[in-house]
Amino acid sequence: MSAGSVALVVTEEIAIPSWDLYELSIPCTVFGKPQPDLSDHWYDFRLCSAYGGDGAYGDDGAGVADTGLTVRTPYGLDDIVGADTVIVTSVPDACVEEGRPLPDGLTAALRRAYDGGARMVSLCTGAFALAEAGLLDGRRATAHWMHTAQLAARYPKVEVDDSVLYVDDGDVLTSAGVSAGLDLCLHLVRRDLGAHVANQLARRMVVPAHRPGGQAQFIDLSVPATDDEGLGPVLDWARARLDRPLTVDDLARRAAMSPRTLYRRLQAATGTTPLQWLLNQRLARAQSLLESTAAPIDKIAELSGLGTANNLRHHFLKQVGVSPGDYRRAFGAGAANR
């Protein structure tokens, strides 16, 4: 199984701002470093400059300018065409705030890559580049909440959602800013190589293994879910009992609080409701079982607390995008037993 090729587009010519460097480094870290103990076939990664791949900035790979950094790469825009996945991180602030044109040839190259079958991805204000190329027309998309109003006003054909971490629309995916880009990149690894690989990679990076795309961008962390006197113990208790019927009342009693208080505190800490949190945990358990066991689908539905095989298939298709059987064929260690 091959993870495919990833082309990361650098849209700043020189002096990349330090804020944008974080988002640029995320796909470099996730896709650019082979993990042979996790997968025999990691990604073929290339860094592509929107200003050509002539190596004009020296021979050491990166140079320091007056502010920020300048990245040197042998790859240009022509090299994104033919990649399996194309990622655009933040575009220059002047393109967002002042309407300055994007780098010459960028939108045409993005359209050629998409027409060639590439999966198109944006992090933060990279959505402006996909929108300018017409790739978000008629689609739901997101960006950093500080820029979603500008995105919606400039590109009225795009259905802009300012409340979510990322949007997976199949062959076009967009994320909010900063750490939400990491959530989306790990989501892509999960799609390509399975939940086990994504979870282990997240563990190495010391980040949450899976924050669903629908989780809110705005999360009040004043009541952290890991507080020993708060929600941490009850969430651990629930994870250990996913094969049993669990209700919001059960969790509230365990936490010694009212259902309304539990709802408010869990949503503040995780950005999701108690019932959606339980469903996310059950689906994650089902993914793990599909990858690591040959148990029948109805048994996996039982062990993950989803009840019946039909119920598992319904929620799995809705959230993961494929059937449990197809997921097992792609990522399971043994033959499917449906």
Side-chain angles (χ1 to χ4, degrees), residues 116-316:
R119 176 174 60 183
M120 309 300 291
V121 180
S122 68
L123 310 185
C124 195
T125 58
F128 282 78
L130 297 190
E132 184 67 22
L135 303 182
L136 299 184
D137 288 356
R139 294 180 185 265
R140 180 167 162 262
T142 194
H144 193 292
W145 61 268
M146 292 178 65
H147 303 293
T148 47
Q150 292 162 302
L151 182 66
R154 195 172 302 172
Y155 304 102
K157 294 182 180 179
V158 182
E159 181 187 343
V160 179
D161 188 341
D162 66 358
S163 67
V164 297
L165 292 177
Y166 59 84
V167 175
D168 181 345
D169 197 29
D171 56 349
V172 178
L173 302 92
T174 55
S175 85
V178 198
S179 296
L182 180 54
D183 293 309
L184 179 52
C185 287
L186 288 172
H187 172 71
L188 291 171
V189 174
R190 186 178 298 269
R191 271 183 48 171
D192 297 338
L193 297 173
H196 174 74
V197 173
N199 292 347
Q200 291 302 308
L201 181 60
R203 184 180 181 188
R204 291 178 182 182
M205 301 177 72
V206 199
V207 295
H210 184 213
R211 291 200 299 170
Q215 184 165 317
Q217 288 192 39
F218 318 97
I219 299 175
D220 179 3
L221 296 179
S222 60
V223 187
T226 55
D227 184 350
D228 288 342
E229 297 180 357
L231 298 177
V234 71
L235 298 185
D236 290 341
W237 176 85
R239 289 189 191 97
R241 292 162 176 79
L242 291 175
D243 59 332
R244 309 177 194 179
L246 290 173
T247 66
V248 175
D249 287 343
D250 293 332
L251 270 64
R253 279 193 296 270
R254 182 71 184 183
M257 60 183 69
S258 70
R260 178 178 294 182
T261 299
L262 174 75
Y263 186 102
R264 175 177 55 81
R265 293 185 65 176
L266 185 62
Q267 183 143 33
T270 69
T272 192
T273 66
L275 286 178
Q276 186 61 50
W277 182 87
L278 276 171
L279 177 59
N280 293 340
Q281 299 303 310
R282 296 188 191 285
L283 288 170
R285 173 69 58 82
Q287 283 182 298
S288 178
L289 292 170
L290 287 165
E291 292 182 21
S292 61
T293 77
I297 299 298
D298 53 357
K299 183 64 175 178
I300 287 179
E302 177 186 337
L303 292 173
S304 60
L306 289 166
T308 66
N310 283 339
N311 196 41
L312 170 60
R313 290 188 183 97
H314 169 75
H315 290 293
F316 211 87

Side-chain angles (χ1 to χ4, degrees), residues 8-14 47-58 61 70-80 103-106 109:
L8 174 62
V9 182
V10 184
T11 60
E12 299 273 11
E13 183 176 13
I14 57 174
L47 199 62
C48 302
S49 171
Y51 294 90
D54 56 7
Y57 304 121
T70 296
V71 175
R72 172 186 176 270
T73 174
Y75 302 106
L77 288 177
D78 288 342
D79 295 294
I80 76 173
D104 290 343
L106 175 59

Side-chain angles (χ1 to χ4, degrees), residues 85-123:
T85 300
V86 174
I87 302 176
V88 186
T89 59
S90 298
V91 300
D93 287 344
C95 298
V96 176
E97 304 292 345
E98 304 166 15
R100 192 185 81 186
L102 291 166
D104 290 343
L106 175 59
T107 54
L110 293 175
R111 283 194 294 266
R112 291 200 310 273
Y114 178 75
D115 291 342
R119 176 174 60 183
M120 309 300 291
V121 180
S122 68
L123 310 185

